[in-house]
């Protein structure tokens, strides 16, 4: 199996950190987000709290009355969900600028597959640092970053290096990293499974790895087998987009490798049109546009850009694809294949359309009309000038 480089990003004390960024007088202080403590009589729980509050033993899901007992002088805030969502979107935009291969896990957490991006971002650790820096610069917030060849280990790594950490587990150190850890660090080991495993004398991931595989399958079914694999550093799960359709793309291989700019631009136009039509048929609009360029000799490069609004318009796709291409292509290289891809369909088409302006609607109607003509009279019936 191809070795992957997976990055797991998790923001530190997300909601509380946003409050501290928006109101710097809260910096360095215990801040608790959650229900109103009503001087210790309040009901409800802690949503999250700053690391300063954690020193007093406060944590997520703790009754707010208990949090008040532990630190009555903490600053208790009710939370502003729309602001947190806004910040979350900004963070995801930064991630999608890095790579289109982003799997959102929650508002403040994502996996990225950065396999093969060394040429653009350098070694994995540098890429991780770049992401951290970019998030800090653009939002003022701090992310912890775990890097590993498998998802599960990347997640454990980001958890262990919090707050403000970065930790890379290289392939050769994976087992040494995993084995001393308690089994509850493994994904999918909740209190119930933990009790069963403890009952078998299994406390650490090392114990699990040395246990009879059949016995684990018997006691825990498929989960047992899955956990056994994890304990040996085998995690087949790849980074997945949440969308049902992950991306819409189109590629073209030239019969003869070419460096003719006009031919290359025309091909981008053709590919953008194909992608644009498929997106409209599927009622999708994406924010990330990626191009793929394969040179003679099969060296392949991808470049991506994430727009602030999602699109399925050919003009947007083409102009961005062309800009990406112009940004890195040198005429000395002959091209064998070009590809255009649109992904990042997080926003729902319907929801988005609520905010659409008239001009956009009109543009969309024109696109639909062009599609209809083309479907009826064939691809060559309408042309676009570059
Ligand atoms: P987490 O990433 O679990 O927590 P966190 O970012 O506050 O702190 P850290 O990652 O540094 O340990 O959750 C992200 C946000 O989700 C969190 O800021 C608030 C919200 N949340 C709740 O509302 N209730 C909860 O029980 C948890 C765990 C999180
Ligand atoms: Mg977090």
């Amino acid at each position: 199996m191809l070795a992957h480089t997976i990055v797991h990003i998790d923001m530190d004390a997300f909601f509380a950190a946003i409050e501290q960024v928006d109101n710097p007088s809260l910096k360095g202080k215990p801040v608790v987000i959650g229900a109103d403590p009503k001087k210790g009589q309040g009901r409800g729980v802690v949503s999250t709290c700053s690391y300063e509050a954690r020193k007093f033993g406060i944590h997520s899901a703790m009754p707010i009355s208990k949090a008040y007992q532990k630190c009555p002088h903490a600053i208790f805030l009710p939370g502003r969900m729309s602001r947190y969502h806004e910040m979350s979107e900004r963070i995801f935009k930064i991630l999608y600028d890095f790579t289109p291969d982003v799997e959102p896990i929650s508002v403040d957490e994502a996996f990225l597959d950065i396999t093969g991006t060394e040429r653009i971002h350098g070694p994995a650790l540098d890429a991780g640092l770049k992401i951290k820096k970019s998030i800090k610069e653009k939002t003022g917030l701090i992310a912890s970053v775990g890097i590993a060849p498998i998802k599960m280990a990347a997640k454990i790594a980001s958890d262990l290096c919090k707050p403000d950490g970065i930790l890379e587990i290289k392939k050769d150190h994976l087992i040494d990293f995993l084995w001393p850890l308690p089994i509850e660090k493994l994904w999918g080991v909740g209190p119930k499974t933990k009790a069963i495993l403890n009952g078998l004398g299994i406390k650490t991931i090392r114990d699990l790895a040395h246990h009879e595989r059949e016995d684990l399958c018997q006691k825990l079914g498929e989960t047992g087998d899955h956990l056994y694999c994890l304990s040996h550093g085998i995690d087949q799960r790849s980074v997945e987009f949440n969308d049902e359709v992950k991306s819409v793309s189109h590629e073209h291989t030239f019969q003869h490798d070419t460096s003719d700019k006009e031919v290359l631009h025309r091909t981008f136009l053709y590919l953008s049109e194909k992608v644009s039509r498929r997106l409209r048929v599927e009622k999708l609009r994406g924010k990330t546009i990626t191009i793929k360029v394969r040179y003679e000799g099969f060296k392949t490069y991808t470049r991506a850009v994430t727009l602030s609004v999602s699109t399925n318009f050919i003009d947007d796709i083409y102009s961005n694809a062309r800009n990406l291409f112009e940004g890195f292509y040198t005429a000395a290289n002959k091209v064998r294949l070009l590809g255009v891809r649109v992904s990042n369909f997080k926003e729902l088409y319907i929801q988005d359309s609520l905010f659409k302006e008239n001009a956009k609607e009109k543009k969309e109607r024109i696109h639909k009309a062009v599609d209809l003509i083309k479907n009826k009279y064939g691809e060559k019936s309408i042309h676009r000038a570059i």
Side-chain angles (χ1 to χ4, degrees):
M1 201 178 72
L2 175 74
H4 278 265
T5 310
I6 312 290
V7 176
H8 181 259
I9 308 274
D10 191 303
M11 303 303 297
D12 292 345
F14 190 49
F15 294 179
I18 293 171
E19 296 299 341
Q20 289 177 321
V21 162
D22 287 352
N23 179 358
S25 74
L26 299 178
K27 284 212 166 123
K29 294 188 182 154
V31 175
V32 180
I33 313 293
D36 184 348
K38 294 186 180 157
K39 296 201 177 340
Q41 304 305 308
R43 295 161 65 91
V45 294
V46 172
S47 166
T48 191
C49 60
S50 65
Y51 275 79
E52 293 82 359
R54 292 182 199 198
K55 286 187 195 142
F56 294 89
I58 302 174
H59 57 76
S60 292
M62 171 182 274
I64 200 78
S65 52
K66 195 166 169 195
Y68 187 84
Q69 274 169 21
K70 286 185 179 287
C71 185
H73 69 277
I75 294 129
F76 290 87
L77 297 170
R80 298 173 295 150
M81 284 316 290
S82 62
R83 175 67 178 142
Y84 307 151
H85 275 286
E86 192 187 318
M87 285 300 234
S88 172
E89 285 212 345
R90 276 168 66 184
I91 290 158
F92 276 96
K93 184 172 178 335
I94 296 166
L95 301 182
Y96 280 112
D97 275 343
F98 250 77
T99 169
D101 293 331
V102 176
E103 179 181 356
I105 300 293
S106 75
V107 275
D108 83 326
E109 187 186 348
F111 284 106
L112 277 65
D113 189 335
I114 60 158
T115 312
T117 65
E118 293 84 357
R119 272 171 190 279
I120 316 167
H121 300 306
L125 197 65
D126 290 358
L129 283 168
K130 261 197 207 174
I131 298 171
K132 252 177 96 67
K133 194 162 163 247
S134 185
I135 292 177
K136 179 80 205 300
E137 277 170 8
K138 291 180 179 147
T139 66
L141 297 167
I142 300 199
S144 289
V145 178
I147 306 167
I150 57 173
K151 282 170 98 173
M152 179 262 297
K155 189 171 163 69
I156 297 175
S158 75
D159 185 39
L160 289 183
C161 71
K162 268 179 177 298
D164 197 7
I166 182 162
L167 178 60
E168 182 186 11
I169 310 302
K170 298 220 190 228
K171 197 162 159 258
D172 293 346
H173 299 136
L174 189 57
I175 296 297
D176 286 344
F177 168 70
L178 290 175
W179 280 13
L181 298 172
I183 40 158
E184 58 266 34
K185 286 278 173 207
L186 283 183
W187 237 356
V189 178
K192 252 182 162 173
T193 312
K194 185 185 168 197
I196 297 171
L197 291 171
N198 285 169
L200 297 170
I202 299 170
K203 293 246 158 62
T204 63
I205 299 179
R206 179 187 280 106
D207 297 339
L208 185 63
H210 288 104
H211 199 87
E212 187 93 25
R213 187 171 183 169
E214 262 84 277
D215 190 45
L216 291 170
C217 293
Q218 243 178 24
K219 304 271 170 19
L220 290 159
E222 264 182 41
T223 308
D225 202 47
H226 177 60
L227 293 176
Y228 180 83
C229 289
L230 288 181
S231 73
H232 285 276
I234 301 161
D235 183 1
Q236 302 285 10
R237 291 166 300 186
S238 56
V239 171
E240 308 251 6
F241 294 93
N242 271 355
D243 317 295
E244 262 178 47
V245 184
K246 293 177 188 177
S247 64
V248 170
S249 63
H250 226 85
E251 292 182 358
H252 178 77
T253 306
F254 296 103
Q255 280 194 336
H256 304 287
D257 300 346
T258 181
S259 57
D260 183 332
K261 271 283 176 72
E262 203 187 317
V263 172
L264 295 168
H265 286 167
R266 278 202 174 281
T267 307
F268 271 123
L269 184 65
Y270 162 78
L271 294 171
S272 304
E273 186 149 29
K274 284 267 185 203
V275 169
S276 164
R277 280 175 73 189
R278 274 244 326 268
L279 287 169
R280 274 174 283 120
V281 168
E282 310 235 5
K283 295 206 182 323
L284 290 168
R285 291 207 260 150
K287 279 188 176 174
T288 302
I289 294 162
T290 308
I291 60 161
K292 180 166 159 186
V293 180
R294 177 169 297 149
Y295 292 140
E296 53 185 349
F298 285 88
K299 268 202 173 143
T300 308
Y301 299 87
T302 59
R303 289 288 183 276
V305 62
T306 298
L307 313 175
S308 53
V309 287
S310 44
T311 186
N312 56 21
F313 294 143
I314 180 178
D315 318 25
D316 295 338
I317 301 169
Y318 173 62
S319 60
N320 281 289
R322 193 175 149 153
N323 283 345
L324 287 170
F325 181 68
E326 289 301 323
F328 95 111
Y329 179 69
T330 47
N333 292 301
K334 281 195 168 175
V335 175
R336 170 158 302 175
L337 170 148
L338 289 180
V340 171
R341 173 167 68 154
V342 173
S343 58
N344 187 2
F345 305 130
K346 253 187 93 188
E347 260 175 289
L348 285 180
Y349 191 82
I350 302 284
Q351 257 180 10
D352 218 26
S353 71
L354 292 176
F355 304 102
K356 220 167 14 192
E357 309 142 20
N358 279 342
K360 251 187 166 179
E361 270 171 11
K362 198 170 153 198
K363 210 168 165 188
E364 193 143 317
R365 271 209 314 277
I366 294 169
H367 272 86
K368 276 193 183 134
V370 172
D371 285 351
L372 277 176
I373 295 169
K374 285 201 167 176
N375 289 341
K376 205 164 171 186
Y377 300 107
E379 201 58 52
K380 296 212 166 75
S381 56
I382 291 188
H383 286 284
R384 241 163 222 284
I386 290 182

